[in-house]
Amino acid sequence: MSSRSERSQGRPDAGRVASHLAVMGAVAVVMGVLTACLAIPFAGLVGVAAKDVSTGMVNLPESLEAKDLSQKTRIYDVNGNLIASLYDQNRINVPLQSISRPMVKAIVAIEDYRFYEHGALDLKGTLRAFVTNQANGGSVQGGSSITQQMVKQTLLYQAETDEERKAATEETYARKIRELRYAIAFEKNHTKDWILERYLNIAYFGDGAFGVQAAAVHFFSKNAKDLNLLEAATLAGLVKNPVGYDPIDNPERAESRRNTVLDRLAQLGVLSEKKAERLKGTPIEETLKVKSAPNGCQQSRAPFFCDYVVNWLLKDPVLGDTPKERRTTLKNGGLTINTTLDLDMQKAADDSVSAHVYPTDQAIGGLAMVEPGSGDVRALAQSRPMGKNKAKGQTYLNYVVPKKYGDANGFQAGSTFKVFVLASAINQGIPLSTQINSPEELHIDDEEFANCDGPYAGDGKGWDVSNSTGSGTFDLYSGTQNSVNTFFAQLETQTGMCEPLQLAADMGVKVPLAQKVPSWILGVSDSNPLELAQAYATFGARGLHCDPRPVTGVLDSKGQTLKEFPTECEQVMPGATADAVNDILRGVMEPGGFGQNIAIDKPSAGKTGTNQSNMSVWFAGYTPAIATVAMVAGANELGEWESLNGQTVGGVGIYEAFGSTVAGPLWGDAMAAISAKLPYEDFQTPPGDEIAGVLSTVPDVAGQTVEAATQQLEAAGFVVADGGDVNSEVAAGSVAYTSPAGGTSLSSGDTVTLYASTGYVPPPPSINSGGNKGKGNKGKGKGKGRR
């Protein structure tokens, strides 16, 4: 009995013999099928799920279309700095020649060292894996060539349904055979280099990095072309198990796997064993230089500008026929989006807004910067950060752009709208020196206003308008600089409503039909910082209005121009009209003006705005180089309007909010921070011969010929009168002096009197002359010399 037991242990039992015979039979059958290049479905493999294989092979296409791989889109500022990335998969495709040779050698060595020698199938590796799998109960393991792995990754990447994703990853021979058929087609239609390039770009390397370029940047902060042997070995070891060998979460396992790759390279003679041992001694932590790959606008350096760019491009059919297609292109198309953002200006805007309005305040601060003459949007900032944590004041609403780009309704713009009536009045020839008596309260009947079709037909109640800045008689300078409501209400009766409303529209400010009432000039319509900044930029550009432009161009994944976005500008008012507006508004920034405390070291102009009940306050200011609008609006955590009066905003208590005192500091700090970047450029003096009543300085023409002096004075917009001859030391026939004297400020159209010199100065009276006569002569001479 003992000997029988020993004999039974020394030989295989019938089941094991049958199992080995089955494996051998299966190998023979598989070799036959492979030899036939999978031309027909087959069945009857011993130990193989024949039904699965057959089903998987029926109606299987002979080739697989390799669709373009998704790539992340990158958004850059005006100076080429990366500000945001958008992607579904963090991938940047690179050609094989842009991948370092150590990386190529490492991946081939560990995954398929005979890649360049065999076809679609590495027969030795496949048979070895087949035998091993059968002996271990049929588990599908290893043996796949790089081409087969690339096919599997392609099938998985292109799967659109759960069923297709399951078929691409199922552990069956049917899947392996399908992959092999496609692999044969790829080998037939493409070069080995093409296959390896696609494999390295489609492979997942872990921690969100798809493709070797994204992996190189993520783990080592360098491009794939710069990977050294140690780094290449690390990455090559990841593709087998990206999660298990993740060098960040599992450094010990990752280092062991890296060393396996180095050993394999030494076995193949790619490097010496001595060098391999030396490299293996380097701790993997010392080689890592992990760089995060932010995704989306929330992680951008300019979140709300990025959000504006995305929503702006989603309106453009060049990216697709539908918003869904455009969004897919944005996140997967590998686009390069070049924008107009200036990060220096963005930082200045962010710093100023965050310093003056806190995220959890019952208020929202916003600021926009736009370049006159181009419409380029240089900065967008708001006090409430991007995010979903309302307790921290976060929001996804973009309050600084129009609703169609940011989903926020905006806030009433207050007196910033008065400039549209001011510019229309100037354009219509109303002298800047026009005097209007403006009481604190005033009632104006509806019929005193005219719209485009004739007298305004209101509700018959008229308009009861009042001031918060006092009363008196004002001209266009003082009425605007003091923002006198009753002055502008009466000015609107002279200009009518039609031209100011049209001018506002031409300058990018749309007033809803229901709000086209006389009081629209007090800013009862909702607006936003960007809308007003691009409008006020029109004055800085001397009447040239340019639509806001956040993007200059978009390139496709190959670097080819997909679309360029040129400036879209139109002259909406004469340059002289804009010059006159600038001349008036610069007074706001000068001593005595509301903006004198926030003026910068460059010529600037501005206008305040405060709406009813002080729920929103504004400061719109500009230079010829940049237009900046700051806003602070009372709003609770839901964005619902509240008065700013009595609130604490930015740690400062507000008794009564005004544009100059609450919004003005945001403007002033932001502009002061960028002032060094701005050129010293003054506004052009409005031409007195084109703009009636413009304040001009009387030129000093003393000593000139009467003819030359007359020409200069008339060119400055003055009417010249002849005052006759006077005795003076000036050469005869030349101008002795003017009245008013040179240096005096007058309105264009005012009269300047010229006095021509006789060239004769009477001698002093004789000491022997009579007192009365001497006194008379002295008095007469003094009278002629008075100026």
Side-chain angles (χ1 to χ4, degrees):
M1 192 170 176
S2 170
S3 60
R4 187 185 308 154
S5 174
E6 291 173 357
R7 287 196 301 271
S8 65
Q9 290 177 4
R11 66 185 183 192
D13 60 27
R16 292 181 65 189
V17 171
S19 175
H20 285 302
L21 288 174
V23 170
M24 294 174 65
V27 169
V29 174
V30 170
M31 290 183 67
V33 172
L34 297 179
T35 302
C37 295
L38 307 176
I40 58 172
F42 61 92
L45 296 182
V46 181
V48 178
K51 182 178 180 181
D52 287 345
V53 174
S54 240
T55 302
M57 295 296 296
V58 173
N59 299 321
L60 186 66
E62 291 186 1
S63 62
L64 173 66
E65 177 189 2
K67 298 179 181 179
D68 290 341
L69 299 177
S70 69
Q71 300 186 65
K72 70 177 178 181
T73 288
R74 289 165 289 183
I75 304 176
Y76 295 94
D77 81 338
V78 69
N79 295 313
N81 299 302
L82 182 67
I83 58 174
S85 296
L86 312 173
Y87 59 84
D88 283 330
Q89 292 186 347
N90 177 25
R91 176 188 287 109
I92 302 172
N93 287 344
V94 288
L96 192 62
Q97 57 265 34
S98 294
I99 302 172
S100 75
R101 300 321 296 167
M103 183 67 226
V104 172
K105 291 178 179 179
I107 198 72
V108 170
I110 197 65
E111 290 298 322
D112 185 2
Y113 78 98
R114 298 180 61 251
F115 172 69
Y116 280 98
E117 300 173 14
H118 61 68
L121 175 70
D122 180 3
L123 191 57
K124 292 180 180 179
T126 299
L127 291 177
R128 182 177 60 252
F130 186 85
V131 172
T132 301
N133 293 338
Q134 288 303 306
N136 287 290
S139 174
V140 180
Q141 296 178 0
S144 294
S145 67
I146 281 178
T147 308
Q148 289 173 282
Q149 292 182 54
M150 185 273 290
V151 169
K152 178 182 178 181
Q153 294 286 351
T154 297
L155 287 168
L156 182 60
Y157 170 76
Q158 294 176 186
E160 296 181 354
T161 66
D162 289 341
E163 184 178 355
E164 290 176 346
R165 280 185 282 273
K166 180 180 178 182
T169 56
E170 61 186 355
E171 296 295 326
T172 66
Y173 283 103
R175 191 206 84 210
K176 301 288 286 186
I177 298 301
R178 286 196 300 272
E179 290 174 2
L180 184 54
R181 167 168 282 187
Y182 289 138
I184 292 170
F186 275 119
E187 291 273 356
K188 179 180 178 180
N189 297 322
H190 299 283
T191 66
K192 285 285 190 178
D193 283 353
W194 183 94
I195 292 169
L196 183 58
E197 176 184 302
R198 183 173 175 86
Y199 173 74
L200 284 167
N201 280 309
I202 200 172
Y204 180 54
F205 288 84
D207 206 27
F210 290 83
V212 67
Q213 172 66 13
V217 172
H218 176 59
F219 290 111
F220 304 110
S221 297
K222 60 171 58 176
N223 292 316
K225 66 182 180 64
D226 299 320
L227 291 169
N228 61 35
L229 191 55
L230 204 56
E231 295 158 347
T234 301
L235 294 186
L238 294 179
V239 294
K240 181 179 180 180
N241 186 351
V243 176
Y245 294 138
D246 186 332
I248 299 173
D249 294 333
N250 301 299
E252 291 184 1
R253 293 192 65 194
E255 184 174 312
S256 174
R257 176 64 177 168
R258 179 204 67 186
N259 293 345
T260 298
V261 176
L262 291 171
D263 286 338
R264 183 61 174 158
L265 286 166
Q267 291 171 8
L268 296 174
V270 177
L271 73 162
S272 66
E273 291 187 4
K274 182 178 181 181
K275 184 175 182 180
E277 289 301 318
R278 179 172 57 81
L279 291 174
K280 287 164 59 177
T282 304
I284 199 165
E285 292 91 345
E286 293 183 7
T287 66
L288 296 179
K289 191 176 180 181
V290 179
K291 183 178 182 180
S292 63
N295 184 17
C297 290
Q298 187 171 345
Q299 300 179 61
S300 167
R301 298 167 71 178
F304 288 101
F305 179 86
C306 171
D307 182 72
Y308 171 50
V309 165
V310 169
N311 286 308
W312 192 78
L313 288 173
L314 285 175
K315 311 291 183 186
D316 198 312
V318 73
L319 300 184
D321 294 332
T322 66
K324 182 179 180 181
E325 290 178 4
R326 295 166 199 160
R327 192 173 293 278
T328 298
T329 301
L330 274 175
K331 298 189 74 175
N332 297 281
L335 307 179
T336 296
I337 300 173
N338 295 315
T339 75
T340 58
L341 180 78
D342 184 307
L343 279 176
D344 292 335
M345 294 185 177
Q346 181 65 43
K347 184 179 186 304
D350 286 333
D351 290 348
S352 179
V353 170
S354 62
H356 291 285
V357 187
Y358 298 158
T360 55
D361 286 345
Q362 296 296 291
I364 296 170
L367 189 144
M369 293 181 175
V370 174
E371 182 180 83
S374 68
D376 289 349
V377 182
R378 296 303 188 199
L380 295 174
Q382 71 178 44
S383 59
R384 293 188 178 176
M386 184 175 288
K388 62 183 180 180
N389 192 331
K390 292 184 178 180
K392 294 184 178 180
Q394 296 177 354
T395 181
Y396 286 109
L397 295 178
N398 192 342
Y399 289 97
V400 291
V401 299
K403 184 176 182 179
K404 68 177 180 177
Y405 299 122
D407 295 327
N409 290 324
F411 299 92
Q412 291 183 350
S415 294
T416 57
F417 275 26
K418 289 175 180 173
V419 293
F420 304 122
V421 172
L422 173 64
S424 297
I426 296 169
N427 213 39
Q428 292 175 10
I430 296 175
L432 306 189
S433 55
T434 299
Q435 303 278 318
I436 300 177
N437 180 33
S438 306
E440 285 195 19
E441 296 182 352
L442 184 66
H443 175 85
I444 305 177
D445 293 331
D446 290 339
E447 56 267 23
E448 293 192 45
F449 299 96
N451 56 29
C452 299
D453 302 319
Y456 170 68
D459 57 8
K461 297 180 181 179
W463 182 18
D464 292 308
V465 59
S466 60
N467 297 326
S468 61
T469 54
S471 60
T473 298
F474 303 91
D475 59 17
L476 270 67
Y477 280 94
S478 58
T480 302
Q481 292 164 3
N482 289 285
S483 198
V484 182
N485 293 343
T486 55
F487 173 87
F488 272 92
Q490 294 176 86
L491 186 61
E492 189 182 17
T493 65
Q494 298 183 42
T495 64
M497 295 167 55
C498 185
E499 183 175 335
L501 281 166
Q502 183 58 52
L503 181 61
D506 292 342
M507 294 171 67
V509 176
K510 305 297 189 292
V511 177
L513 180 62
Q515 294 174 351
K516 291 183 178 180
V517 297
S519 60
W520 78 276
I521 64 170
L522 301 186
V524 297
S525 300
D526 292 338
S527 190
N528 53 81
L530 178 59
E531 182 178 73
L532 282 183
Q534 58 89 35
Y536 273 76
T538 307
F539 297 127
R542 302 191 67 237
L544 183 69
H545 172 261
C546 300
D547 292 340
R549 181 174 68 152
V551 177
T552 58
V554 177
L555 307 180
D556 64 19
S557 60
K558 296 180 175 62
Q560 300 300 311
T561 299
L562 189 62
K563 184 174 182 178
E564 292 182 344
F565 297 90
T567 58
E568 295 186 6
C569 304
E570 180 183 2
Q571 194 76 29
V572 298
M573 72 182 77
T577 297
D579 293 339
V581 172
N582 297 336
D583 198 52
I584 292 172
L585 295 185
R586 73 184 303 163
V588 174
M589 312 302 293
E590 294 172 347
F594 290 149
Q596 65 173 340
N597 293 328
I598 59 172
I600 60 174
D601 60 353
K602 304 289 193 306
S604 60
K607 181 70 186 75
T608 58
T610 304
N611 85 327
Q612 191 172 9
S613 301
N614 305 85
M615 288 190 289
S616 58
V617 293
W618 303 73
F619 195 90
Y622 57 97
T623 74
I626 197 73
T628 299
V629 171
M631 171 205 77
V632 179
N636 60 24
E637 62 276 3
L638 300 177
E640 298 168 339
W641 294 2
E642 291 185 358
S643 176
L644 291 166
N645 294 344
Q647 289 201 43
T648 298
V649 176
V652 178
I654 300 174
Y655 175 71
E656 188 173 10
F658 295 104
S660 58
T661 57
V662 177
L666 276 73
W667 185 94
D669 286 356
M671 289 293 286
I674 67 168
S675 182
K677 288 177 66 94
L678 303 177
Y680 190 94
E681 185 178 357
D682 205 348
F683 299 106
Q684 293 197 30
T685 301
D689 57 343
E690 295 183 51
I691 304 298
V694 63
L695 284 179
S696 301
T697 301
V698 176
D700 186 356
V701 295
Q704 297 184 21
T705 65
V706 172
E707 181 180 2
T710 299
Q711 290 178 351
Q712 185 174 352
L713 288 166
E714 288 179 345
F718 300 113
V719 175
V720 179
D722 183 3
D725 296 335
V726 294
N727 293 332
S728 78
E729 296 177 349
V730 177
S734 297
V735 176
Y737 59 88
T738 62
S739 180
T744 304
S745 292
L746 292 180
S747 296
S748 58
D750 287 351
T751 300
V752 176
T753 303
L754 285 179
Y755 293 91
S757 175
T758 63
Y760 172 74
V761 179
S766 171
I767 58 173
N768 296 323
S769 300
N772 290 337
K773 185 175 181 180
K775 289 180 181 179
N777 289 338
K778 186 176 181 181
K780 185 176 181 181
K782 184 177 181 180
K784 285 187 177 180
R786 183 179 297 125
R787 299 187 183 185

